[in-house]
Amino acid sequence: MEVTEEENTLAIQMGHIVTAKALKSGVDAVVPTMPDPEIPVSVGQFRIVPYAMPAAQQPYVVDDPVIQARLTRVYEQEQTGELEEPNSMVVACASSVCTSEQALDEKPRSSSERIVLYVCGGGFVSSDTALLKWHYMRVSQELDQRVFVPRYHVAPAHVFPRAIHDVYTAFMYLVQQGFQAQDITILGISAGANIALAVVELLRIQKEPEPSRIVVVAPCVDLTLSMDSWTRNHDKCVLGYIPEENPHSMPRVYYGDVEPGVDVFAMLRHPLLSPLFGRAHAGPPLQIHSGTCDALADDAVALAQRIPHAELITYPGRNHYTILRGKQQLDAMYAHMRRFIQTPCSE
């Protein structure tokens, strides 16, 4: 079923209301907890598995003392078992990929199994939700790979860099389980694209193996919110705009309490917060999907311009809601992803 104009208009209206409400009163007020959906075995299977930081995972070393202190704190808390709420991930496998007992094992089914590490969106205040389980199955089916989804912790209860640590640790955990880094594709949606790119930047800094490819959809990569599309597409997109100087804005909620003497606006340009300002040199192949009516449209364009080897695919008239809605739209998007993932990487 395709998205109707009426549905899109209503989504835009509700999106602006929900954005303001969520950032002011907490996401739980507008995104209630829902039970996991019943997915027939004929479609696929999923389960939730715990994971922990591998013993060999090294302490973080970054160039900014404030971010260093935050990363060190979360690393040491997990190392000593003091970190609140342990980590878990969803393992999803479409029936077309595998129906054996290994379908939901967190270990590789073969020495060269290729998988997707999926980092879902949610404006940094929501991650894995029950409604996304069907989407994980679709990704698994379309890309013919198993999908692993870290249920990263979110703001305001868990501020930066907890989500990055959670996803980084998930990647390292999967490598520890026997997956090869070069057999992992990271797929990030919206805020999840920010976290995914930050994780890859952190892997580079830590001199760890990086994933084979990165795919981002409607990426939020500039937390200074300086792009013109925030205002240009305001009336065309579900995302409501709250300036970054407002403590209820998305970047400020994600960052949390500002340390004394820290210029938070300058801090928001750090590559672990705004990957747009990260490396412009060689890294894993990158594919970017963006709607021209998205409030984040210019984020995608700027990212593609900064990364020479990036492939930018734009969808005319699509916004942050409709880019993932409609059979024709999703068929086209997954076709691009399949071609990108299946194309051998150049040496």
Side-chain angles (χ1 to χ4, degrees):
M1 180 180 295
E2 301 307 317
V3 180
T4 65
E5 184 175 345
E6 291 77 12
E7 178 187 354
N8 185 36
T9 299
L10 179 60
I12 292 171
Q13 293 172 348
M14 291 302 298
H16 292 182
I17 295 171
V18 167
T19 297
K21 184 177 180 182
L23 293 175
K24 289 181 179 179
S25 59
V27 72
D28 289 340
V30 291
V31 184
T33 301
M34 300 180 66
D36 285 333
E38 293 291 335
I39 296 180
V41 175
S42 59
V43 174
Q45 307 173 65
F46 74 87
R47 76 181 179 107
I48 297 172
V49 299
Y51 71 92
M53 185 172 72
Q57 185 167 319
Q58 296 298 307
Y60 302 114
V61 179
V62 298
D63 58 2
D64 184 277
V66 173
I67 295 178
Q68 176 68 65
R70 288 190 175 211
L71 282 168
T72 298
R73 183 164 58 250
V74 71
Y75 177 90
E76 291 179 347
Q77 286 175 336
E78 174 144 353
Q79 191 177 48
T80 58
E82 300 174 8
L83 198 60
E84 296 180 5
E85 301 182 18
N87 292 320
S88 62
M89 70 173 76
V90 176
V91 182
C93 183
S95 59
S96 59
V97 176
C98 179
T99 57
S100 73
E101 293 181 356
Q102 290 182 299
L104 301 180
D105 195 340
E106 63 265 42
K107 294 184 180 295
R109 294 181 296 133
S110 70
S111 60
S112 59
E113 182 185 5
R114 300 171 68 183
I115 61 171
V116 174
L117 181 64
Y118 183 110
V119 189
C120 53
F124 304 105
V125 294
S126 175
S127 62
D128 170 58
T129 66
L131 291 176
L132 287 174
K133 299 297 192 299
W134 279 102
H135 186 55
Y136 305 156
M137 290 300 170
R138 177 75 188 271
V139 172
S140 176
Q141 180 182 33
E142 293 286 349
L143 302 184
D144 195 31
Q145 296 181 18
R146 293 195 293 157
V147 176
F148 293 76
V149 189
R151 306 175 79 196
Y152 62 85
H153 293 78
V154 297
H158 304 279
V159 297
F160 169 85
R162 177 66 193 272
I164 294 174
H165 169 77
D166 290 349
V167 178
Y168 180 97
T169 298
F171 183 90
M172 298 299 293
Y173 175 81
L174 290 171
V175 171
Q176 180 199 49
Q177 296 304 300
F179 291 100
Q180 301 299 311
Q182 64 264 26
D183 292 328
I184 301 175
T185 294
I186 294 187
L187 168 61
I189 313 293
S190 188
N194 178 300
I195 295 166
L197 290 167
V199 165
V200 176
E201 177 71 8
L202 193 54
L203 287 167
R204 181 190 68 82
I205 293 171
Q206 296 290 107
K207 296 181 171 56
E208 296 287 356
E210 298 179 27
S212 170
R213 294 167 175 80
I214 311 168
V215 178
V216 294
V217 179
C220 172
V221 292
D222 176 13
L223 290 190
T224 68
L225 307 184
S226 61
M227 296 295 169
D228 291 342
S229 53
W230 274 105
T231 52
R232 185 180 71 248
N233 287 337
H234 176 75
D235 294 333
K236 304 173 186 175
C237 187
V238 297
L239 294 181
Y241 174 63
I242 300 178
E244 75 280 0
E245 60 265 21
N246 187 317
H248 298 297
S249 68
M250 176 178 63
R252 295 291 296 278
V253 171
Y254 178 50
Y255 187 82
D257 293 337
V258 181
E259 292 83 352
V262 169
D263 180 349
V264 67
F265 307 114
M267 182 64 72
L268 289 174
R269 291 182 59 88
H270 191 280
L272 293 183
L273 282 154
S274 293
L276 175 63
F277 305 115
R279 59 175 164 177
H281 47 81
L286 172 65
Q287 186 182 70
I288 306 166
H289 298 261
S290 176
T292 59
C293 291
D294 197 329
L296 296 169
D298 289 355
D299 282 43
V301 172
L303 181 63
Q305 291 173 341
R306 185 169 178 80
I307 308 297
H309 58 275
E311 176 188 12
L312 174 63
I313 302 168
T314 57
Y315 302 93
R318 296 283 172 169
N319 62 28
H320 207 73
Y321 174 76
T322 57
I323 194 170
L324 290 173
R325 297 294 188 279
K327 184 179 184 304
Q328 292 181 1
Q329 168 65 17
L330 289 174
D331 286 349
M333 180 177 292
Y334 287 126
H336 286 301
M337 289 185 189
R338 277 195 304 275
R339 183 255 311 155
F340 177 70
I341 289 174
Q342 294 171 1
T343 300
C345 292
S346 58
E347 298 297 332

